[in-house]
Amino acid sequence: MGKKLTLTGANAVRTILKNKDDFHADLRDETKDGARTTYVFDFEYDDHVGTFTIATEDGDIKVAVLNLSMGRIISLVNDANIKKLAQYVLDTSL
């Protein structure tokens, strides 16, 4: 069982990265628009569920947005570690 996420979502991505075995993502949708591919995953971690949207262009992650069930939205703008989580999800869930 992974470490609990705080209600504020502070350090949520770092907590998930430290407990990756407890993070499960399932691909719900994949769309392509030119060189950009967008993936939408449903995920669960501990007692949280949500969606994780990742957009890649020529193999580079351009967009990563984690929408947690507790109402917190985490993106590249407010947490640089999300890129590591996005790469982990792409490597293990596709």
Side-chain angles (χ1 to χ4, degrees), residues 15-75:
T15 301
I16 292 169
L17 284 169
K18 288 182 179 179
N19 300 281
K20 289 188 259 190
D21 291 341
D22 297 315
F23 184 84
H24 305 285
D26 296 311
L27 183 63
R28 180 176 15 142
D29 188 41
E30 178 180 345
T31 57
K32 294 185 184 220
D33 184 16
R36 181 171 283 217
T37 304
T38 303
Y39 305 94
V40 178
F41 294 90
D42 290 323
F43 77 87
E44 61 181 67
Y45 174 80
D46 195 35
D47 58 347
H48 298 287
V49 295
T51 58
F52 194 11
T53 304
I54 303 168
T56 62
E57 198 169 308
D58 299 322
D60 188 32
I61 296 169
K62 298 293 186 181
V63 175
V65 179
L66 188 67
N67 187 350
L68 298 165
S69 59
M70 61 182 152
R72 177 83 171 157
I73 297 174
I74 302 169
S75 69

